[in-house]
Amino acid sequence: MERAVKWQMIQENPCRRIDAPKVDRHDVDCMNDVEAVHFLECLEEETLEYRTIFTLLLLTGMRRGELLGLEWPDVDFTTGIISIRRTSQYTAKKGIFTDTTKTESSKRSVRVSVEMLDLLQEYQAWQNERRVKLGDRWQECGRLFTQWDGRPMSLNTPYLMLQKVLERHGLRKVSLHSLRHTNATLMIMKGNDVRTVAGRLGHSQTSTTMNIYAHSTREAKRSSARLLDKVVG
């Protein structure tokens, strides 16, 4: 409508007189710090593939498509930085295909711990062994996470894997995206500023981060206030 006004097709934008509907906001579903630590402990009893996928998701806050779009050159084992450059997507017409990131700001670099790099190297060695074992049956795609024969992993597979893990260990049911929310919430609660969290998540605007994690931000401020009271008192 604003474009129509600019093009002089209409004199004014009638949408300006309409009240925007109120959107109910709900607190994001995520693990607390105790649940997150217990989840990581449970992963120690899982396969190397499961452990690598879910540790990476929890510790980086990547989206599902970003995780499945990772290729080995994206992992710099020297600097400890993982570059998010693409996503893996699916449609009934195309099947699994490679796409650009959600937004330009979603292209980002995420630093990971030495422990995470060690896990990735162990997983890479395991994948190489599988490649050699399958020989001509292996279909190279360069991705970190693949189907049994090297083809890109289905987008629904990590969710199904997660539900199996949660059920095996009697953990509270959460969605795959909850791991991203958990990462962001814990970062905020640990005192990271919103700009840092937004950059790690790939949000183009800090307001997006503020809106999604308003509750966590309020809790972090209250914790800071309580700490200040103790110091001043």
Side-chain angles (χ1 to χ4, degrees):
M1 288 297 181
E2 289 294 339
R3 186 65 62 86
V5 173
K6 184 177 180 179
W7 290 347
Q8 297 182 342
M9 297 175 65
I10 56 177
Q11 292 185 345
E12 62 175 325
N13 182 355
C15 293
R16 292 180 179 175
R17 298 190 293 272
I18 299 175
D19 293 329
K22 292 183 178 180
V23 179
D24 294 331
R25 294 194 179 278
H26 304 281
D27 291 337
V28 295
D29 182 26
C30 63
M31 300 176 183
N32 58 37
D33 54 348
V34 176
E35 290 176 318
V37 170
H38 183 49
F39 177 68
L40 289 174
E41 291 173 345
C42 290
L43 288 179
E44 292 299 321
E45 302 176 21
E46 295 294 330
T47 65
L48 180 59
E49 182 180 37
Y50 280 33
R51 195 161 75 247
T52 306
I53 288 175
F54 297 123
T55 302
L56 193 58
L57 281 174
L58 183 62
L59 298 187
T60 64
M62 289 185 194
R63 300 177 178 92
R64 175 187 60 175
E66 294 170 345
L67 175 87
L68 297 183
L70 287 177
E71 298 180 1
W72 284 112
D74 299 328
V75 182
D76 191 324
F77 287 102
T78 302
T79 63
I81 291 177
I82 297 177
S83 299
I84 299 173
R85 301 185 174 105
R86 73 195 70 76
T87 65
S88 184
Q89 299 296 336
Y90 171 86
T91 64
K93 185 176 182 179
K94 292 184 179 181
I96 299 175
F97 65 98
T98 300
D99 199 2
T100 57
T101 53
K102 186 175 182 180
T103 61
E104 190 61 30
S105 60
S106 293
K107 291 181 180 179
R108 61 198 188 279
S109 297
V110 179
R111 186 176 296 276
V112 295
S113 65
V114 173
E115 291 77 13
M116 185 71 250
L117 291 174
D118 290 342
L119 183 59
L120 283 168
Q121 285 185 317
E122 185 180 356
Y123 173 76
Q124 186 181 43
W126 172 82
Q127 189 185 76
N128 287 336
E129 289 178 5
R130 174 185 279 188
R131 181 184 290 106
V132 172
K133 185 177 181 179
L134 288 178
D136 294 339
R137 290 187 295 167
W138 180 268
Q139 301 182 44
E140 186 62 59
C141 71
R143 298 287 170 85
L144 267 68
F145 304 109
T146 68
Q147 299 183 46
W148 69 272
D149 60 354
R151 290 177 297 156
M153 181 177 285
S154 169
L155 269 67
N156 198 40
T157 298
Y159 169 79
L160 297 176
M161 288 178 170
L162 177 61
Q163 299 314 306
K164 290 179 181 178
V165 172
L166 298 175
E167 184 176 351
R168 270 196 291 266
H169 297 277
L171 303 178
R172 180 171 64 88
K173 292 297 180 67
V174 294
S175 68
L176 194 68
H177 206 65
S178 293
L179 301 183
R180 175 174 166 84
H181 290 322
T182 299
N183 175 271
T185 300
L186 293 181
M187 284 185 66
I188 293 172
M189 296 302 292
K190 293 298 182 182
N192 290 276
D193 62 90
V194 176
R195 186 175 297 278
T196 299
V197 178
R200 191 169 179 88
L201 294 179
H203 288 161
S204 57
Q205 297 180 332
T206 55
S207 59
T208 301
T209 312
M210 288 290 291
N211 289 336
I212 297 175
Y213 302 105
H215 175 73
S216 300
T217 305
R218 289 194 299 270
E219 284 297 320
K221 288 180 178 178
R222 278 197 286 268
S223 296
S224 298
R226 287 194 293 268
L227 179 62
L228 184 61
D229 287 342
K230 290 181 179 179
V231 173
V232 175

Short mmCIF file of all heavy atoms in Angstrom, two decimals, residues 2 11-20:
data_model
loop_
_atom_site.label_atom_id
_atom_site.label_comp_id
_atom_site.label_asym_id
_atom_site.label_seq_id
_atom_site.Cartn_x
_atom_site.Cartn_y
_atom_site.Cartn_z
N GLU A 2 1.96 1.25 0.77
CA GLU A 2 2.85 2.41 0.77
C GLU A 2 3.48 2.61 -0.60
O GLU A 2 3.67 3.74 -1.05
CB GLU A 2 3.94 2.22 1.84
CG GLU A 2 3.46 2.32 3.28
CD GLU A 2 2.98 3.72 3.62
OE1 GLU A 2 3.37 4.69 2.93
OE2 GLU A 2 2.19 3.85 4.58
N GLN A 11 -4.25 7.79 -3.03
CA GLN A 11 -3.84 9.02 -2.36
C GLN A 11 -3.25 8.77 -0.97
O GLN A 11 -2.38 9.50 -0.52
CB GLN A 11 -5.04 9.98 -2.25
CG GLN A 11 -5.48 10.53 -3.60
CD GLN A 11 -6.59 11.56 -3.45
OE1 GLN A 11 -7.21 11.67 -2.39
NE2 GLN A 11 -6.82 12.32 -4.51
N GLU A 12 -3.77 7.76 -0.29
CA GLU A 12 -3.26 7.46 1.04
C GLU A 12 -3.33 5.97 1.32
O GLU A 12 -4.04 5.24 0.63
CB GLU A 12 -4.05 8.22 2.11
CG GLU A 12 -5.52 7.85 2.16
CD GLU A 12 -6.24 8.52 3.30
OE1 GLU A 12 -5.60 8.70 4.36
OE2 GLU A 12 -7.41 8.87 3.15
N ASN A 13 -2.62 5.56 2.31
CA ASN A 13 -2.58 4.16 2.69
C ASN A 13 -3.67 3.88 3.73
O ASN A 13 -3.57 4.32 4.88
CB ASN A 13 -1.20 3.81 3.27
CG ASN A 13 -1.08 2.35 3.64
OD1 ASN A 13 -2.04 1.59 3.56
ND2 ASN A 13 0.11 1.96 4.07
N PRO A 14 -4.71 3.14 3.36
CA PRO A 14 -5.80 2.87 4.31
C PRO A 14 -5.38 1.98 5.47
O PRO A 14 -6.03 1.96 6.51
CB PRO A 14 -6.85 2.17 3.43
CG PRO A 14 -6.07 1.55 2.32
CD PRO A 14 -4.95 2.51 2.05
N CYS A 15 -4.27 1.28 5.31
CA CYS A 15 -3.81 0.38 6.38
C CYS A 15 -3.34 1.15 7.60
O CYS A 15 -3.26 0.60 8.70
CB CYS A 15 -2.68 -0.50 5.87
SG CYS A 15 -3.21 -1.70 4.61
N ARG A 16 -3.02 2.43 7.42
CA ARG A 16 -2.58 3.23 8.55
C ARG A 16 -3.68 3.41 9.59
O ARG A 16 -3.41 3.69 10.75
CB ARG A 16 -2.12 4.60 8.07
CG ARG A 16 -0.84 4.58 7.22
CD ARG A 16 -0.48 5.98 6.79
NE ARG A 16 0.75 5.99 5.99
CZ ARG A 16 1.25 7.07 5.40
NH1 ARG A 16 0.62 8.23 5.54
NH2 ARG A 16 2.37 7.01 4.71
N ARG A 17 -4.92 3.26 9.16
CA ARG A 17 -6.05 3.46 10.09
C ARG A 17 -6.48 2.16 10.76
O ARG A 17 -7.44 2.14 11.52
CB ARG A 17 -7.23 4.07 9.34
CG ARG A 17 -6.95 5.45 8.74
CD ARG A 17 -8.23 6.10 8.23
NE ARG A 17 -8.76 5.38 7.09
CZ ARG A 17 -8.42 5.62 5.82
NH1 ARG A 17 -7.49 6.55 5.56
NH2 ARG A 17 -8.95 4.93 4.82
N ILE A 18 -5.78 1.08 10.45
CA ILE A 18 -6.15 -0.23 11.01
C ILE A 18 -5.25 -0.55 12.21
O ILE A 18 -4.04 -0.38 12.16
CB ILE A 18 -5.99 -1.34 9.95
CG1 ILE A 18 -6.92 -1.06 8.76
CG2 ILE A 18 -6.29 -2.71 10.55
CD1 ILE A 18 -6.75 -2.03 7.61
N ASP A 19 -5.87 -0.98 13.29
CA ASP A 19 -5.11 -1.39 14.46
C ASP A 19 -4.52 -2.77 14.22
O ASP A 19 -5.24 -3.71 13.86
CB ASP A 19 -6.00 -1.43 15.71
CG ASP A 19 -6.49 -0.04 16.11
OD1 ASP A 19 -5.74 0.92 15.86
OD2 ASP A 19 -7.60 0.07 16.65
N ALA A 20 -3.24 -2.89 14.42
CA ALA A 20 -2.58 -4.18 14.22
C ALA A 20 -3.05 -5.17 15.29
O ALA A 20 -3.26 -4.79 16.44
CB ALA A 20 -1.07 -4.02 14.30
#
